[in-house]
Amino acid sequence: MAEEAQQMPRSSYLPRRVAMRGLAAAGAAAMLRPVGAIARPGTIITRPIPSSGEALPVIGLGTWITFNVGEDPAARDACAEVMRHFFDAGGRAIDSSPMYASSQPVIGHGLRKLGRTKEVFSADKVWIRGGSRGPAQIEQSRQYWGVPRFDLMQVHNLVSWEEHLPALLAMKAAGQLRYVGITTSEGRRHREIEQIMRDHPIDFVQVTYNVLDREVEARILPLAQERGIGVIVNRPFRQGVLIRRIERQRLPDWAAEFEAANWAQFLLKFIVSHPAVTCAIPATSRVEHVRENMGAARGRLPDAAMRRRMVAHVEAL
Amino acid sequence: MSEWWTYRLSDFLLFAPRTYYRLFELYNADIWPAQIAALALGVAIVVLLYRGGAGASRGIAAILAAGWLWVAWAFHLERYATINWAAVYFAAGFAVQALLLVWTGVLRGGLRFQAPSGIPGRIGLGVFLFALVMQPLIGPLLGRAWTHAELFGLAPDPTAVATLGALLLANRTRWLLLAIPLLWCAISGATLWTMGAPDWFVSPVLAAAPIGVALWKRS
């Protein structure tokens, strides 16, 4: 699995228009046939970043709460172990924020310990009031991670986005970042998110989406497809509440049709089978959970009819 | 913060419960044997209370202030701030409380602590002794390790509760000195409640008793 991850193209750039045409075609195909039909058996499922065509595994790693372990050396090493299994299973995208307290230095500890600094797709956020303070915060975050530059920098929860976004786009133009994005969670400020998606050349939008929270299906996900914007999905398990609610129930037999072996894979495959979604970022501090999660990036994915069945099933539980 | 009404308490919890309790475990290991000194200082407050007099009252205020200052630096700034960026503000609040105790109780001699004679004093002494002796036992009684124990003068909750109890033993109610301990008990209760801790109510309830008595004394 580690070899697969190393063989994945890190930068296979395509012109934005070409990439968008390709994505639109893939999206249309996905609506007509099982998405899993475009995934080769045994390989990790990737999605092209619309603005570049670079392939990204559909399952990433979130760090909200789970990686905020302070200076505890044992807990830091446990997080590094989670990262090791994540990378070994073909994962690349790790997401964090200055808001997550010690999560950034804990990621940096793991990357240094594992020697995977070049392998990671580093996604972080700027989270500070006032545009003038953004660059210093981004530099501090970069030092915590120990990466030469961030792959993706996002404006966290739209905090001072009017000031941060032009600065991030300028950093991207100067080669100091590779992608720029904005984030929200749990349905907040969606109208503003839509407006930014229409008016600004962002590469990614990060939103909450799961089998029960599907508000983004109506406007944001279609808009992302239309505008060629990648979608990162947070809170795939409603911070664990959703999976705790259903894990005592028996996994339906028909989950085998899209190769979901457990509820985590059931829930994640629902998310990443939406053609607009680039990747989901479940957070965990446990090795067995990261292994389950990464299993959702392999095998078949549910088609549109199966997705409707999944929604009906979970809503009835 | 826009759309503030859509946020829940859990949206502000930055860490897992095991991380929070592990913080106390590592803290206790780092500062050992300061726990013995803290317990001795707690007992010294009781001794000074029964000795009485202006000097003893200044001594009690100084011990309480030292506890608040220690927690501000050693716990909030040095440890809690590594998992909660708000701990910097908590440290500032605890330092202000220490200064208030020094100014009011040590420098100006404005606090005259007395051995309990009526109901308010007995409740105050009860709350103080609970914070000193019983509160550290709550975690272990609920199944958490002894190494996670939170002690007066070293951990914020028993320090705040003990201070509220001690202030009930003063000759007059100093509302300014009650504000920060009460606020901390509310913050701590909300944090533990969000973490799903079964003992989340302990500090808020213990804080409610002194404030009720203080209001009763005033009326």
Side-chain angles (χ1 to χ4, degrees):
Chain A
M1 289 182 190
E3 286 176 4
E4 287 167 10
Q6 285 157 7
Q7 286 164 8
M8 276 189 300
R10 180 156 170 79
S11 314
S12 52
Y13 295 101
L14 289 176
R16 187 175 178 118
R17 262 188 310 177
V18 174
M20 285 178 66
R21 275 204 300 272
L23 185 79
M31 300 306 285
L32 295 172
R33 65 184 182 184
V35 181
I38 58 173
R40 293 192 303 276
T43 61
I44 192 157
I45 304 170
T46 63
R47 283 275 165 73
I49 297 170
S51 63
S52 70
E54 177 182 358
L56 199 63
V58 292
I59 300 297
L61 183 64
T63 56
W64 167 239
I65 293 180
T66 52
F67 272 44
N68 180 22
V69 297
E71 304 287 339
D72 182 351
R76 282 178 162 233
D77 285 347
C79 289
E81 196 60 12
V82 166
M83 290 169 67
R84 187 172 73 79
H85 280 81
F86 172 72
F87 286 124
D88 286 353
R92 276 189 63 206
I94 299 181
D95 178 86
S96 194
S97 168
M99 186 199 176
Y100 305 169
S102 63
S103 293
Q104 294 173 309
V106 170
I107 292 170
H109 168 78
L111 290 175
R112 281 188 297 276
K113 184 174 180 183
L114 301 172
R116 311 297 267 265
T117 305
K118 289 181 181 171
E119 200 172 320
V120 68
F121 182 93
S122 52
D124 209 310
K125 306 182 188 83
V126 57
W127 177 71
I128 197 163
R129 297 220 174 267
S132 62
R133 300 158 74 191
Q137 187 182 60
I138 292 168
E139 175 56 20
Q140 176 68 77
S141 299
R142 190 194 66 75
Q143 289 177 19
Y144 284 142
W145 280 66
V147 293
R149 64 174 175 172
F150 282 113
D151 291 300
L152 167 62
M153 183 54 63
Q154 306 153 98
V155 181
H156 189 138
N157 282 350
L158 301 186
V159 172
S160 298
W161 72 267
E162 298 92 337
E163 298 165 74
H164 290 312
L165 199 50
L168 295 187
L169 291 169
M171 288 179 73
K172 179 186 170 187
Q176 296 167 323
L177 302 171
R178 297 177 62 219
Y179 302 103
V180 171
I182 55 173
T183 81
T184 184
S185 60
E186 302 191 358
R188 297 184 186 102
R189 300 173 76 174
H190 275 189
R191 283 189 184 174
E192 218 169 338
I193 290 276
E194 281 181 45
Q195 202 57 49
I196 296 169
M197 291 170 71
R198 289 184 199 285
D199 296 344
H200 299 273
I202 58 173
D203 301 291
F204 279 95
V205 61
Q206 185 178 135
V207 292
T208 294
Y209 178 48
N210 58 58
V211 71
L212 293 182
D213 301 309
R214 304 188 306 278
E215 186 189 335
V216 293
E217 284 180 347
R219 296 169 64 92
I220 288 183
L221 295 184
L223 182 60
Q225 285 182 281
E226 178 193 321
R227 300 283 302 163
I229 296 170
V231 176
I232 296 175
V233 172
N234 59 37
R235 315 271 169 108
F237 304 138
R238 281 188 171 176
Q239 288 191 269
V241 173
L242 176 56
I243 203 157
R244 282 196 294 275
R245 178 176 141 190
I246 63 173
E247 68 186 354
R248 288 178 195 162
Q249 308 290 329
R250 186 170 171 268
L251 191 69
D253 293 338
W254 43 265
E257 292 178 33
F258 53 92
E259 299 180 63
N262 48 59
W263 278 112
Q265 291 172 11
F266 181 102
L267 296 172
L268 289 171
K269 287 199 172 200
F270 172 82
I271 294 166
V272 302
S273 60
H274 192 290
V277 171
T278 309
C279 77
I281 47 169
T284 182
S285 57
R286 293 171 60 173
V287 164
E288 64 268 32
H289 287 172
V290 81
R291 290 163 104 168
E292 282 183 1
N293 294 345
M294 290 310 292
R298 290 176 188 277
R300 290 190 296 276
L301 292 178
D303 62 10
M306 182 62 83
R307 286 168 50 80
R308 286 193 292 274
R309 189 177 186 183
M310 294 165 82
V311 169
H313 185 79
V314 174
E315 285 183 341
L317 288 176
Chain B
M1 186 169 65
S2 60
E3 299 187 16
W4 56 267
W5 61 90
T6 65
Y7 286 84
R8 302 176 301 264
L9 273 177
S10 60
D11 291 318
F12 301 98
L13 188 69
L14 302 174
F15 43 80
R18 70 176 172 283
T19 302
Y20 181 76
Y21 293 122
R22 176 90 169 132
L23 194 73
F24 284 99
E25 184 178 11
L26 294 173
Y27 173 53
N28 280 330
D30 282 351
I31 64 173
W32 174 259
Q35 291 85 347
I36 295 170
L39 280 171
L41 287 169
V43 172
I45 286 179
V46 179
V47 171
L48 290 169
L49 187 66
Y50 280 93
R51 180 186 287 180
S57 289
R58 282 191 161 90
I60 292 172
I63 293 170
L64 292 173
W68 281 83
L69 203 57
W70 172 270
V71 174
W73 172 70
F75 182 77
H76 284 310
L77 265 187
E78 292 289 307
R79 271 85 177 182
Y80 198 24
T82 64
I83 62 167
N84 187 352
W85 35 262
V88 175
Y89 305 107
F90 301 154
F94 272 59
V96 167
Q97 179 72 11
L99 291 175
L100 288 173
L101 283 164
V102 168
W103 175 253
T104 310
V106 181
L107 298 178
R108 297 185 65 194
L111 288 170
R112 293 298 296 268
F113 294 99
Q114 303 162 335
S117 54
I119 291 175
R122 290 197 182 102
I123 291 175
L125 183 62
V127 168
F128 179 85
L129 290 174
F130 187 93
L132 185 66
V133 180
M134 292 303 296
Q135 211 163 356
L137 302 178
I138 291 174
L141 287 172
L142 289 171
R144 297 195 291 267
W146 283 98
T147 50
H148 299 172
E150 299 172 36
L151 272 73
F152 161 74
L154 302 177
D157 280 29
T159 303
V161 171
T163 301
L164 289 169
L167 289 172
L168 275 191
L169 293 158
N171 57 335
R172 51 181 288 205
T173 304
R174 296 280 183 175
W175 292 98
L176 190 61
L177 292 175
L178 294 176
I180 291 175
L182 285 172
L183 185 61
W184 174 258
C185 289
I187 290 169
S188 178
T191 303
L192 294 175
W193 180 78
T194 310
M195 282 165 47
D199 53 336
W200 67 269
F201 59 89
V202 171
S203 291
V205 167
L206 287 170
I211 194 71
V213 171
L215 288 168
W216 177 50
K217 276 171 72 177
R218 192 184 184 193
S219 66

